[in-house]
Protein backbone atom coordinates (compact mmCIF):
# COMPACT_ATOMS: atom_id res chain seq x y z
CA UNK A 1 0.00 0.00 0.00
CA UNK A 2 1.56 3.29 -1.14
CA UNK A 3 0.02 6.12 0.86
CA UNK A 4 0.77 9.61 -0.47
CA UNK A 5 2.08 11.73 2.40
CA UNK A 6 1.26 15.21 1.07
CA UNK A 7 -1.21 17.04 -1.12
CA UNK A 8 1.72 18.01 -3.36
CA UNK A 9 2.60 14.32 -3.86
CA UNK A 10 -1.06 13.60 -4.68
CA UNK A 11 -1.12 16.36 -7.30
CA UNK A 12 2.02 14.92 -8.93
CA UNK A 13 0.54 11.40 -8.85
CA UNK A 14 -2.62 12.69 -10.52
CA UNK A 15 -0.44 14.29 -13.19
CA UNK A 16 1.31 10.95 -13.82
CA UNK A 17 -2.02 9.13 -14.04
CA UNK A 18 -3.51 11.56 -16.56
CA UNK A 19 -5.97 12.83 -13.94
CA UNK A 20 -4.85 16.48 -14.05
CA UNK A 21 -4.91 19.34 -16.54
CA UNK A 22 -2.84 22.51 -16.15
CA UNK A 23 -5.04 25.60 -16.67
CA UNK A 24 -2.57 28.40 -17.39
CA UNK A 25 -5.08 30.75 -19.02
CA UNK A 26 -6.24 33.48 -16.66
CA UNK A 27 -9.52 32.62 -14.96
CA UNK A 28 -11.76 34.74 -12.78
CA UNK A 29 -12.48 33.66 -9.21
CA UNK A 30 -15.96 35.09 -9.82
CA UNK A 31 -17.86 32.01 -11.05
CA UNK A 32 -15.43 31.04 -13.86
CA UNK A 33 -13.21 28.82 -11.72
CA UNK A 34 -16.32 27.12 -10.31
CA UNK A 35 -17.89 26.68 -13.74
CA UNK A 36 -14.75 25.06 -15.17
CA UNK A 37 -14.58 22.67 -12.23
CA UNK A 38 -18.27 21.78 -12.54
CA UNK A 39 -17.83 20.94 -16.22
CA UNK A 40 -14.81 18.78 -15.35
CA UNK A 41 -17.03 16.81 -12.95
CA UNK A 42 -19.77 16.40 -15.54
CA UNK A 43 -17.40 15.18 -18.27
CA UNK A 44 -15.28 13.00 -15.94
CA UNK A 45 -12.41 15.13 -17.20
CA UNK A 46 -9.02 15.58 -15.53
CA UNK A 47 -8.95 17.78 -12.44
CA UNK A 48 -8.14 21.41 -13.39
CA UNK A 49 -5.07 22.95 -11.74
CA UNK A 50 -5.52 26.73 -11.95
CA UNK A 51 -2.24 28.67 -11.81
CA UNK A 52 -3.40 32.09 -13.04
CA UNK A 53 -6.33 33.45 -11.04
CA UNK A 54 -7.31 37.06 -11.66
CA UNK A 55 -6.53 39.65 -8.95
CA UNK A 56 -4.90 37.10 -6.64
CA UNK A 57 -1.42 36.67 -5.19
CA UNK A 58 0.88 35.27 -7.90
CA UNK A 59 2.05 31.74 -7.19
CA UNK A 60 -1.08 30.63 -5.34
CA UNK A 61 -2.83 27.80 -7.19
CA UNK A 62 -6.13 25.91 -6.96
CA UNK A 63 -6.87 22.25 -7.72
CA UNK A 64 -10.52 21.78 -8.66
CA UNK A 65 -12.30 18.41 -8.42
CA UNK A 66 -9.53 16.72 -6.40
CA UNK A 67 -11.63 13.61 -5.92
CA UNK A 68 -14.05 13.66 -8.80
CA UNK A 69 -14.84 10.60 -10.89
CA UNK A 70 -11.78 9.38 -12.80
CA UNK A 71 -11.11 9.93 -16.47
CA UNK A 72 -10.68 6.12 -16.68
CA UNK A 73 -14.17 4.63 -17.19
CA UNK A 74 -12.93 1.21 -16.07
CA UNK A 75 -11.83 2.58 -12.71
CA UNK A 76 -14.19 5.45 -11.82
CA UNK A 77 -12.94 5.67 -8.21
CA UNK A 78 -9.26 5.84 -9.09
CA UNK A 79 -8.76 9.17 -7.29
CA UNK A 80 -10.29 7.77 -4.09
CA UNK A 81 -8.09 4.68 -4.31
CA UNK A 82 -4.99 6.80 -4.91
CA UNK A 83 -5.92 8.93 -1.90
CA UNK A 84 -5.95 5.88 0.37
CA UNK A 85 -3.05 4.00 -1.20
CA UNK A 86 -5.38 1.24 -2.43
CA UNK A 87 -5.28 -0.55 -5.82
CA UNK A 88 -6.83 1.67 -8.49
CA UNK A 89 -8.89 -1.20 -9.89
CA UNK A 90 -10.95 -1.50 -6.69
CA UNK A 91 -14.67 -0.88 -7.05
CA UNK A 92 -16.55 1.58 -4.87
CA UNK A 93 -18.00 -1.11 -2.55
CA UNK A 94 -14.55 -2.74 -2.27
CA UNK A 95 -13.01 0.59 -1.21
CA UNK A 96 -15.80 1.08 1.34
CA UNK A 97 -15.21 -2.39 2.77
CA UNK A 98 -11.44 -1.86 3.09
CA UNK A 99 -11.80 1.63 4.59
CA UNK A 100 -14.57 0.56 7.00
CA UNK A 101 -11.94 -1.09 9.19
CA UNK A 102 -10.29 2.24 10.05
CA UNK A 103 -11.98 2.67 13.43
CA UNK A 104 -10.83 -0.79 14.58
CA UNK A 105 -7.13 -0.17 13.89
CA UNK A 106 -4.65 0.23 16.73
CA UNK A 107 -3.93 3.98 17.00
CA UNK A 108 -0.45 5.34 16.34
CA UNK A 109 -0.08 8.86 17.81
CA UNK A 110 1.29 11.58 15.52
CA UNK A 111 4.93 12.67 15.74
CA UNK A 112 5.59 16.34 16.48
CA UNK A 113 8.39 17.82 14.38
CA UNK A 114 10.13 21.18 14.75
CA UNK A 115 9.12 22.47 11.31
CA UNK A 116 7.72 21.41 7.97
CA UNK A 117 6.85 22.59 4.46
CA UNK A 118 3.84 24.51 5.80
CA UNK A 119 6.25 26.88 7.59
CA UNK A 120 8.10 28.10 4.47
CA UNK A 121 6.20 31.42 4.64
CA UNK A 122 4.62 33.14 7.67
CA UNK A 123 2.23 36.07 8.00
CA UNK A 124 0.65 37.60 11.11
CA UNK A 125 -2.12 40.05 12.01
CA UNK A 126 -2.82 42.79 9.49
CA UNK A 127 -0.18 41.47 7.08
CA UNK A 128 -2.74 38.77 6.24
CA UNK A 129 -5.23 39.51 3.46
CA UNK A 130 -7.36 36.47 2.75
CA UNK A 131 -9.27 38.39 0.08
CA UNK A 132 -6.18 38.19 -2.17
CA UNK A 133 -6.10 34.39 -2.06
CA UNK A 134 -7.71 32.59 -5.02
CA UNK A 135 -10.93 32.05 -3.07
CA UNK A 136 -13.81 31.40 -5.49
CA UNK A 137 -17.30 32.75 -5.72
CA UNK A 138 -18.58 29.36 -6.79
CA UNK A 139 -22.26 29.34 -7.76
CA UNK A 140 -24.59 32.04 -8.91
CA UNK A 141 -26.73 32.51 -5.81
CA UNK A 142 -23.97 31.81 -3.27
CA UNK A 143 -23.80 34.28 -0.41
CA UNK A 144 -20.05 34.83 -0.68
CA UNK A 145 -16.63 33.40 -1.51
CA UNK A 146 -15.95 30.05 0.12
CA UNK A 147 -12.41 29.70 1.42
CA UNK A 148 -12.98 26.16 2.65
CA UNK A 149 -14.68 23.53 0.56
CA UNK A 150 -12.25 20.60 0.93
CA UNK A 151 -9.75 21.59 3.63
CA UNK A 152 -9.84 20.34 7.20
CA UNK A 153 -10.77 22.25 10.33
CA UNK A 154 -8.80 21.31 13.46
CA UNK A 155 -10.15 21.92 16.97
CA UNK A 156 -9.37 20.46 20.39
CA UNK A 157 -11.30 20.09 23.62
CA UNK A 158 -10.24 22.53 26.37
CA UNK A 159 -8.61 19.71 28.38
CA UNK A 160 -6.62 18.59 25.33
CA UNK A 161 -7.97 15.02 25.50
CA UNK A 162 -9.53 14.98 22.03
CA UNK A 163 -8.48 16.61 18.77
CA UNK A 164 -10.94 16.58 15.90
CA UNK A 165 -10.13 16.90 12.19
CA UNK A 166 -13.24 17.57 10.10
CA UNK A 167 -14.41 19.08 6.83
CA UNK A 168 -16.76 22.02 7.30
CA UNK A 169 -17.55 24.83 4.92
CA UNK A 170 -16.30 28.33 5.66
CA UNK A 171 -17.10 31.61 3.89
CA UNK A 172 -14.67 34.47 3.52
CA UNK A 173 -15.77 37.61 5.38
CA UNK A 174 -12.78 39.95 5.23
CA UNK A 175 -8.99 40.11 5.21
CA UNK A 176 -8.73 38.43 8.62
CA UNK A 177 -12.21 37.02 9.26
CA UNK A 178 -14.12 33.91 8.21
CA UNK A 179 -17.75 32.86 8.70
CA UNK A 180 -17.44 29.25 9.82
CA UNK A 181 -20.30 26.76 9.97
CA UNK A 182 -20.54 24.89 13.29
CA UNK A 183 -23.36 22.32 13.45
CA UNK A 184 -24.22 21.58 17.14
CA UNK A 185 -24.82 17.85 16.55
CA UNK A 186 -21.42 17.30 14.94
CA UNK A 187 -18.04 16.85 16.64
CA UNK A 188 -16.89 20.42 15.96
CA UNK A 189 -20.10 21.68 17.56
CA UNK A 190 -19.52 19.44 20.58
CA UNK A 191 -16.01 20.85 21.08
CA UNK A 192 -17.12 24.46 20.52
CA UNK A 193 -19.83 24.02 23.16
CA UNK A 194 -17.18 22.98 25.71
CA UNK A 195 -15.27 26.22 25.07
CA UNK A 196 -18.51 28.19 25.33
CA UNK A 197 -19.23 26.65 28.73
CA UNK A 198 -15.83 27.89 29.93
CA UNK A 199 -16.41 31.34 28.41
CA UNK A 200 -13.23 31.06 26.36
CA UNK A 201 -12.65 31.50 22.61
CA UNK A 202 -11.81 28.28 20.76
CA UNK A 203 -8.50 28.04 18.87
CA UNK A 204 -8.85 26.71 15.32
CA UNK A 205 -6.59 25.79 12.42
CA UNK A 206 -7.90 25.58 8.86
CA UNK A 207 -5.60 23.40 6.77
CA UNK A 208 -5.98 23.77 3.00
CA UNK A 209 -4.23 21.09 0.97
CA UNK A 210 -3.48 18.12 3.22
CA UNK A 211 -2.51 14.49 2.58
CA UNK A 212 -5.38 12.99 0.55
CA UNK A 213 -5.96 10.30 3.20
CA UNK A 214 -6.32 13.04 5.82
CA UNK A 215 -9.16 14.53 3.78
CA UNK A 216 -10.80 11.10 3.67
CA UNK A 217 -10.41 10.56 7.42
CA UNK A 218 -11.79 14.05 8.11
CA UNK A 219 -14.96 13.07 6.23
CA UNK A 220 -15.38 9.78 8.14
CA UNK A 221 -18.09 9.84 10.88
CA UNK A 222 -15.88 8.15 13.47
CA UNK A 223 -17.15 7.36 16.97
CA UNK A 224 -16.92 10.47 19.15
CA UNK A 225 -13.61 10.80 20.94
CA UNK A 226 -11.42 9.02 18.40
CA UNK A 227 -8.56 11.05 16.94
CA UNK A 228 -8.29 11.00 13.16
CA UNK A 229 -4.56 11.68 13.40
CA UNK A 230 -3.97 8.51 15.44
CA UNK A 231 -6.05 6.25 13.22
CA UNK A 232 -4.33 7.63 10.13
CA UNK A 233 -1.03 6.69 11.75
CA UNK A 234 -2.35 3.15 11.89
CA UNK A 235 -3.43 3.35 8.24
CA UNK A 236 -0.01 4.77 7.25
CA UNK A 237 1.74 2.22 9.50
CA UNK A 238 3.80 5.13 10.85
CA UNK A 239 3.05 8.36 12.71
CA UNK A 240 1.59 11.36 10.89
CA UNK A 241 4.04 14.25 11.17
CA UNK A 242 2.54 17.34 12.79
CA UNK A 243 3.90 20.77 13.72
CA UNK A 244 2.74 23.35 16.25
CA UNK A 245 0.73 26.37 15.14
CA UNK A 246 2.23 29.87 15.45
CA UNK A 247 -0.41 31.39 17.75
CA UNK A 248 -1.90 28.38 19.58
CA UNK A 249 -0.91 24.93 20.78
CA UNK A 250 -2.84 23.14 18.03
CA UNK A 251 -0.85 20.68 15.95
CA UNK A 252 -1.33 20.60 12.16
CA UNK A 253 -0.07 18.23 9.43
CA UNK A 254 3.45 19.42 8.62
CA UNK A 255 3.04 18.94 4.86
CA UNK A 256 -0.06 21.19 4.62
CA UNK A 257 -0.09 23.67 1.74
CA UNK A 258 -1.75 26.54 3.67
CA UNK A 259 -2.53 26.82 7.40
CA UNK A 260 -4.89 29.57 8.57
CA UNK A 261 -5.10 29.81 12.34
CA UNK A 262 -6.90 31.91 14.90
CA UNK A 263 -9.73 32.02 17.45
CA UNK A 264 -13.49 31.43 17.19
CA UNK A 265 -15.43 34.27 18.79
CA UNK A 266 -18.06 33.66 21.45
CA UNK A 267 -19.84 36.95 20.77
CA UNK A 268 -19.31 38.05 17.17
CA UNK A 269 -21.49 36.40 14.56
CA UNK A 270 -21.43 36.75 10.79
CA UNK A 271 -23.99 36.03 8.09
CA UNK A 272 -23.19 32.85 6.16
CA UNK A 273 -24.76 31.32 3.06
CA UNK A 274 -26.43 30.34 0.99
CA UNK A 275 -24.08 27.91 -0.74
CA UNK A 276 -24.60 25.19 -3.32
CA UNK A 277 -25.04 21.99 -1.31
CA UNK A 278 -24.41 18.28 -1.83
CA UNK A 279 -28.06 17.64 -2.66
CA UNK A 280 -27.61 19.65 -5.85
CA UNK A 281 -29.30 22.98 -5.06
CA UNK A 282 -28.46 26.54 -4.05
CA UNK A 283 -31.21 27.56 -1.62
CA UNK A 284 -31.25 31.20 -2.65
CA UNK A 285 -32.10 33.56 0.19
CA UNK A 286 -31.36 31.05 2.96
CA UNK A 287 -28.62 32.22 5.26
CA UNK A 288 -27.83 32.02 8.95
CA UNK A 289 -25.72 33.58 11.66
CA UNK A 290 -22.52 31.71 12.49
CA UNK A 291 -19.47 32.39 14.70
CA UNK A 292 -16.69 34.65 13.45
CA UNK A 293 -13.36 32.88 12.99
CA UNK A 294 -10.78 35.62 13.58
CA UNK A 295 -7.46 34.92 11.85
CA UNK A 296 -4.22 35.58 13.71
CA UNK A 297 -1.63 33.86 11.48
CA UNK A 298 -1.18 32.20 8.11
CA UNK A 299 1.68 29.92 7.09
CA UNK A 300 2.11 28.32 3.69
CA UNK A 301 4.36 26.44 1.30
CA UNK A 302 6.03 28.10 -1.64
CA UNK A 303 3.59 28.19 -4.59
CA UNK A 304 0.80 26.63 -2.50
CA UNK A 305 -2.14 24.68 -3.91
CA UNK A 306 -5.65 25.06 -2.47
CA UNK A 307 -8.28 22.33 -3.03
CA UNK A 308 -11.68 23.24 -4.47
CA UNK A 309 -14.87 21.20 -4.24
CA UNK A 310 -17.77 22.67 -6.19
CA UNK A 311 -20.64 21.17 -4.23
CA UNK A 312 -23.85 20.36 -6.08
CA UNK A 313 -25.34 17.82 -8.45
CA UNK A 314 -23.45 14.50 -8.24
CA UNK A 315 -20.71 13.48 -8.63
CA UNK A 316 -18.31 15.62 -6.57
CA UNK A 317 -16.33 15.24 -3.32
CA UNK A 318 -19.41 15.28 -1.08
CA UNK A 319 -20.37 12.03 -2.80
CA UNK A 320 -17.01 10.34 -3.40
CA UNK A 321 -15.46 11.35 -0.07
CA UNK A 322 -18.33 11.93 2.33
CA UNK A 323 -20.67 9.39 0.73
CA UNK A 324 -18.08 6.61 0.83
CA UNK A 325 -17.12 7.57 4.37
CA UNK A 326 -20.72 7.42 5.57
CA UNK A 327 -21.11 3.99 3.96
CA UNK A 328 -17.84 2.80 5.55
CA UNK A 329 -18.94 4.08 8.96
CA UNK A 330 -22.29 2.27 8.67
CA UNK A 331 -20.63 -0.94 7.49
CA UNK A 332 -18.34 -0.70 10.52
CA UNK A 333 -21.38 -0.41 12.82
CA UNK A 334 -23.36 -3.20 11.16
CA UNK A 335 -20.36 -5.50 11.39
CA UNK A 336 -20.77 -5.31 15.18
CA UNK A 337 -24.23 -6.92 14.90
CA UNK A 338 -25.24 -10.46 13.96
CA UNK A 339 -27.26 -9.26 10.97
CA UNK A 340 -26.53 -11.08 7.65
CA UNK A 341 -25.24 -7.90 5.98
CA UNK A 342 -22.69 -8.20 3.15
CA UNK A 343 -22.03 -4.69 1.74
CA UNK A 344 -23.00 -1.06 2.22
CA UNK A 345 -22.75 1.58 -0.47
CA UNK A 346 -24.14 5.01 -1.27
CA UNK A 347 -24.71 5.30 -5.04
CA UNK A 348 -22.99 8.46 -6.22
CA UNK A 349 -26.02 9.60 -8.19
CA UNK A 350 -28.22 9.60 -5.07
CA UNK A 351 -26.43 12.66 -3.63
CA UNK A 352 -25.87 10.81 -0.34
CA UNK A 353 -29.64 10.46 0.16
CA UNK A 354 -29.74 6.65 -0.36
CA UNK A 355 -27.85 3.89 1.36
CA UNK A 356 -27.94 0.43 -0.23
CA UNK A 357 -27.39 -2.56 2.06
CA UNK A 358 -27.00 -6.03 0.58
CA UNK A 359 -27.95 -9.13 2.52
CA UNK A 360 -26.74 -12.74 2.30
CA UNK A 361 -29.11 -14.62 -0.02
CA UNK A 362 -28.45 -17.80 1.97
CA UNK A 363 -29.72 -16.26 5.21
CA UNK A 364 -31.79 -18.38 7.54
CA UNK A 365 -34.32 -15.66 8.42
CA UNK A 366 -37.76 -16.20 6.92
CA UNK A 367 -39.46 -12.91 7.80
CA UNK A 368 -37.85 -10.50 5.33
CA UNK A 369 -39.92 -7.53 6.44
CA UNK A 370 -38.79 -7.96 10.04
CA UNK A 371 -35.20 -8.33 8.86
CA UNK A 372 -35.42 -5.18 6.73
CA UNK A 373 -36.85 -3.23 9.67
CA UNK A 374 -34.08 -4.48 11.99
CA UNK A 375 -31.37 -3.52 9.48
CA UNK A 376 -32.94 -0.13 8.83
CA UNK A 377 -33.19 0.67 12.54
CA UNK A 378 -29.56 -0.39 13.02
CA UNK A 379 -28.50 1.91 10.19
CA UNK A 380 -30.41 4.90 11.55
CA UNK A 381 -29.03 4.30 15.06
CA UNK A 382 -25.42 4.34 13.83
CA UNK A 383 -23.20 7.41 13.69
CA UNK A 384 -22.98 7.39 9.89
CA UNK A 385 -26.67 6.56 9.56
CA UNK A 386 -27.59 9.90 11.16
CA UNK A 387 -27.05 11.47 7.72
CA UNK A 388 -29.16 8.98 5.73
CA UNK A 389 -32.89 9.47 5.11
CA UNK A 390 -33.54 6.40 2.90
CA UNK A 391 -32.25 2.83 3.13
CA UNK A 392 -32.63 0.29 0.32
CA UNK A 393 -32.14 -3.36 1.30
CA UNK A 394 -31.38 -5.95 -1.39
CA UNK A 395 -30.06 -9.46 -1.83
CA UNK A 396 -26.33 -9.81 -2.43
CA UNK A 397 -26.73 -10.92 -6.05
CA UNK A 398 -26.98 -7.16 -6.72
CA UNK A 399 -23.81 -5.07 -6.87
CA UNK A 400 -24.71 -1.91 -4.90
CA UNK A 401 -22.15 0.06 -6.93
CA UNK A 402 -23.77 -0.88 -10.26
CA UNK A 403 -26.53 1.65 -10.95
CA UNK A 404 -28.07 -0.44 -13.75
CA UNK A 405 -28.46 -3.45 -11.48
CA UNK A 406 -29.74 -1.26 -8.67
CA UNK A 407 -32.47 0.38 -10.77
CA UNK A 408 -33.57 -2.97 -12.22
CA UNK A 409 -33.75 -4.63 -8.82
CA UNK A 410 -35.53 -1.71 -7.16
CA UNK A 411 -38.13 -1.57 -9.94
CA UNK A 412 -38.82 -5.31 -10.02
CA UNK A 413 -38.32 -6.43 -6.42
CA UNK A 414 -39.77 -3.68 -4.27
CA UNK A 415 -43.46 -4.12 -3.52
CA UNK A 416 -44.97 -0.76 -2.45
CA UNK A 417 -46.67 -2.50 0.49
CA UNK A 418 -43.23 -3.33 1.90
CA UNK A 419 -42.12 0.28 2.25
CA UNK A 420 -41.48 0.99 5.94
CA UNK A 421 -41.86 4.59 7.08
CA UNK A 422 -40.51 5.70 10.45
CA UNK A 423 -42.06 9.03 11.41
CA UNK A 424 -40.78 11.78 13.73
CA UNK A 425 -37.14 10.73 13.37
CA UNK A 426 -34.00 12.84 13.71
CA UNK A 427 -33.07 14.13 10.25
CA UNK A 428 -29.83 15.75 9.16
CA UNK A 429 -30.94 19.32 8.37
CA UNK A 430 -29.13 19.54 5.00
CA UNK A 431 -31.27 16.78 3.42
CA UNK A 432 -32.45 18.47 0.25
CA UNK A 433 -36.21 17.90 0.23
CA UNK A 434 -36.96 19.00 3.80
CA UNK A 435 -39.23 21.95 4.41
CA UNK A 436 -37.85 24.91 6.32
CA UNK A 437 -39.79 23.79 9.39
CA UNK A 438 -38.28 20.30 9.17
CA UNK A 439 -34.79 21.74 8.72
CA UNK A 440 -35.22 23.91 11.79
CA UNK A 441 -36.50 21.01 13.90
CA UNK A 442 -34.18 18.36 12.36
CA UNK A 443 -37.16 15.99 12.42
CA UNK A 444 -38.86 14.17 9.55
CA UNK A 445 -39.77 10.72 8.22
CA UNK A 446 -37.17 8.11 7.33
CA UNK A 447 -37.86 5.26 4.92
CA UNK A 448 -36.73 1.64 4.52
CA UNK A 449 -37.30 0.06 1.10
CA UNK A 450 -37.47 -3.71 1.45
CA UNK A 451 -36.28 -5.13 -1.88
CA UNK A 452 -35.44 -8.57 -0.48
CA UNK A 453 -36.81 -11.46 -2.52
CA UNK A 454 -38.54 -14.44 -0.95
CA UNK A 455 -36.86 -16.79 -3.45
CA UNK A 456 -34.47 -18.31 -0.91
CA UNK A 457 -37.50 -19.87 0.80
CA UNK A 458 -38.94 -21.32 -2.42
CA UNK A 459 -38.29 -24.87 -3.63
CA UNK A 460 -35.29 -24.80 -5.98
CA UNK A 461 -37.31 -26.10 -8.93
CA UNK A 462 -39.61 -23.06 -8.93
CA UNK A 463 -37.10 -20.30 -8.14
CA UNK A 464 -36.82 -17.70 -10.90
CA UNK A 465 -33.60 -17.54 -12.90
CA UNK A 466 -32.20 -14.14 -13.81
CA UNK A 467 -32.75 -13.68 -17.56
CA UNK A 468 -29.33 -12.21 -18.29
CA UNK A 469 -25.82 -13.35 -19.11
CA UNK A 470 -25.37 -13.93 -15.38
CA UNK A 471 -28.28 -16.38 -15.51
CA UNK A 472 -26.24 -18.97 -17.43
CA UNK A 473 -23.98 -21.46 -15.71
CA UNK A 474 -20.54 -20.23 -14.66
CA UNK A 475 -18.95 -22.75 -16.99
CA UNK A 476 -20.90 -21.51 -20.00
CA UNK A 477 -20.22 -17.87 -19.13
CA UNK A 478 -16.49 -18.58 -19.04
CA UNK A 479 -16.65 -20.53 -22.29
CA UNK A 480 -18.38 -17.64 -24.08
CA UNK A 481 -15.92 -15.10 -22.69
CA UNK A 482 -12.92 -17.17 -23.78
CA UNK A 483 -14.36 -17.61 -27.29
CA UNK A 484 -15.66 -14.07 -27.73
CA UNK A 485 -13.16 -13.11 -30.44
CA UNK A 486 -13.60 -16.49 -32.12
CA UNK A 487 -17.27 -15.63 -32.59
CA UNK A 488 -16.13 -12.65 -34.65
CA UNK A 489 -16.56 -9.88 -32.07
Amino acid sequence: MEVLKSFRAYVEKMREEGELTEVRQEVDWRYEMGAVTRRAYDLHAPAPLFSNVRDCIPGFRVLGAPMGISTDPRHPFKRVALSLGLPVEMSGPEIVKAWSGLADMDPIPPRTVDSGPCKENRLFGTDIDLTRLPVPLIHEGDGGRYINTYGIMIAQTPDGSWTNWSITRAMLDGPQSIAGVIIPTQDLGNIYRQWQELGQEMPFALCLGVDPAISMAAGYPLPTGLNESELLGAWYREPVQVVKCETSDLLVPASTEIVIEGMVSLQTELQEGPMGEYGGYVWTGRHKQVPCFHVTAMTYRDNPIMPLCVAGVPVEENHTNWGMNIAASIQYSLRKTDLPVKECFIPMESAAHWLVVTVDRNRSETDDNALALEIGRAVFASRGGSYIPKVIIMDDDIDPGNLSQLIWAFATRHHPDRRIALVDQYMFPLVAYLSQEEKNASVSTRVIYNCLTPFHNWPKEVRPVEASFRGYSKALQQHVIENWENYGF
Side-chain angles (χ1 to χ4, degrees):
M1 184 169 71
E2 180 192 358
V3 179
L4 300 167
K5 301 293 180 62
S6 72
F7 192 64
R8 194 72 59 101
Y10 178 61
V11 169
E12 291 309 309
K13 187 67 173 179
M14 291 180 70
R15 194 192 310 273
E16 292 174 16
E17 295 285 339
E19 295 286 330
L20 182 146
T21 290
E22 294 269 5
V23 181
R24 295 185 176 88
Q25 176 177 321
E26 184 182 73
V27 297
D28 199 329
W29 55 260
R30 300 170 184 83
Y31 303 129
E32 185 178 6
M33 195 157 58
V36 172
T37 302
R38 273 308 325 182
R39 183 157 171 78
Y41 288 129
D42 295 344
L43 298 179
H44 299 173
L49 179 61
F50 303 99
S51 56
N52 186 4
V53 182
R54 186 174 301 163
D55 299 331
C56 294
I57 302 172
F60 278 67
R61 297 173 288 171
V62 175
L63 179 70
M67 207 178 291
I69 293 296
S70 172
T71 60
D72 182 351
R74 299 168 302 160
H75 307 125
F77 301 111
K78 178 187 283 189
R79 297 181 199 174
V80 183
L82 289 173
S83 295
L84 296 175
L86 296 172
V88 297
E89 62 270 12
M90 289 183 79
S91 69
E94 287 172 337
I95 293 172
V96 166
K97 184 177 181 180
W99 187 231
S100 69
L102 179 68
D104 276 337
M105 301 184 79
D106 293 329
I108 297 178
R111 178 187 297 123
T112 303
V113 295
D114 292 334
S115 189
C118 70
K119 300 293 189 179
E120 290 173 347
N121 303 273
R122 310 179 196 213
L123 295 173
F124 300 92
T126 56
D127 288 337
I128 302 166
D129 187 353
L130 301 181
T131 65
R132 295 210 59 224
L133 271 57
V135 177
L137 184 58
I138 300 175
H139 309 93
E140 296 191 14
D142 278 0
R145 301 167 67 184
Y146 276 85
I147 191 167
N148 190 40
T149 59
Y150 199 61
I152 69 165
M153 189 71 74
I154 297 180
Q156 188 179 71
T157 54
D159 64 5
S161 62
W162 174 33
T163 301
N164 177 248
W165 293 2
S166 63
I167 299 176
T168 183
R169 78 192 199 197
M171 192 180 85
L172 188 62
D173 176 70
Q176 297 103 37
S177 58
I178 295 170
V181 174
I182 297 180
I183 297 176
T185 56
Q186 295 184 326
D187 287 339
L188 182 61
N190 182 354
I191 293 173
Y192 181 60
R193 183 169 56 253
Q194 294 182 40
W195 287 94
Q196 285 178 308
E197 290 170 354
L198 292 175
Q200 298 178 26
E201 293 188 334
M202 181 180 76
F204 78 90
L206 172 57
C207 299
L208 304 175
V210 295
D211 306 11
I214 290 177
S215 298
M216 282 295 291
Y220 195 125
L222 291 168
T224 297
L226 293 184
N227 293 319
E228 289 80 6
S229 61
E230 296 182 352
L231 293 176
L232 276 169
W235 186 261
Y236 287 179
R237 299 192 180 93
E238 63 178 292
V240 176
Q241 292 195 351
V242 294
V243 64
K244 183 179 173 298
C245 280
E246 298 292 315
T247 56
S248 76
D249 291 331
L250 289 176
L251 300 173
V252 299
S255 66
T256 304
E257 297 284 323
I258 303 171
V259 178
I260 298 170
E261 56 184 84
M263 307 296 287
V264 183
S265 174
L266 297 181
Q267 288 84 30
T268 306
E269 290 190 333
L270 302 171
Q271 182 172 295
E272 187 274 337
M275 179 194 183
E277 295 176 357
Y278 71 93
Y281 305 93
V282 180
W283 299 101
T284 305
R286 288 187 185 175
H287 50 75
K288 55 185 173 295
Q289 296 298 113
V290 299
C292 173
F293 287 55
H294 180 69
V295 176
T296 54
M298 183 175 84
T299 66
Y300 57 96
R301 297 184 64 161
D302 292 336
N303 302 310
I305 305 171
M306 299 171 56
L308 169 61
C309 163
V310 178
V313 172
V315 178
E316 36 89 351
E317 287 73 18
N318 282 289
H319 314 117
T320 55
N321 177 313
W322 195 48
M324 283 192 165
N325 274 310
I326 293 171
S329 174
I330 294 170
Q331 187 152 342
Y332 163 80
S333 297
L334 294 183
R335 202 163 51 231
K336 307 295 183 182
T337 71
D338 58 359
L339 296 167
V341 169
K342 298 298 286 291
E343 291 183 313
C344 296
F345 192 67
I346 292 177
M348 299 295 108
E349 294 79 2
S350 76
H353 282 55
W354 289 356
L355 171 79
V356 181
V357 179
T358 61
V359 174
D360 187 353
R361 290 193 96 189
N362 298 316
R363 60 191 177 274
S364 58
E365 290 85 349
T366 57
D367 188 340
D368 287 340
N369 227 39
L371 176 61
L373 177 59
E374 188 176 4
I375 292 172
R377 287 192 181 280
V379 168
F380 295 144
S382 70
R383 178 72 186 276
S386 66
Y387 301 102
I388 296 298
K390 303 173 185 178
V391 175
I392 301 171
I393 302 174
M394 296 188 168
D395 291 307
D396 65 354
D397 63 316
I398 299 301
D399 174 2
N402 185 315
L403 194 61
S404 296
Q405 289 185 25
L406 177 62
I407 292 173
W408 169 69
F410 187 89
T412 61
R413 299 183 183 183
H414 174 64
H415 192 293
D417 289 346
R418 296 201 295 174
R419 173 183 177 273
I420 305 169
L422 304 178
V423 299
D424 296 330
Q425 301 282 302
Y426 166 79
M427 187 71 78
F428 185 58
L430 297 185
V431 167
Y433 56 78
L434 298 180
S435 68
Q436 190 59 53
E437 291 74 19
E438 289 172 316
K439 287 179 182 289
N440 292 339
S442 296
V443 173
S444 188
T445 299
R446 289 174 149 187
V447 178
I448 304 164
Y449 294 98
N450 176 7
C451 299
L452 297 172
T453 63
F455 306 151
H456 65 289
N457 291 320
W458 293 9
K460 189 171 182 179
E461 60 272 14
V462 297
R463 291 181 192 171
V465 176
E466 184 177 315
S468 72
F469 185 67
R470 296 195 307 168
Y472 296 101
S473 69
K474 296 293 185 183
L476 181 55
Q477 288 182 49
Q478 188 60 35
H479 174 77
V480 170
I481 291 170
E482 291 174 354
N483 285 276
W484 194 246
E485 292 185 5
N486 296 333
Y487 298 139
F489 293 101

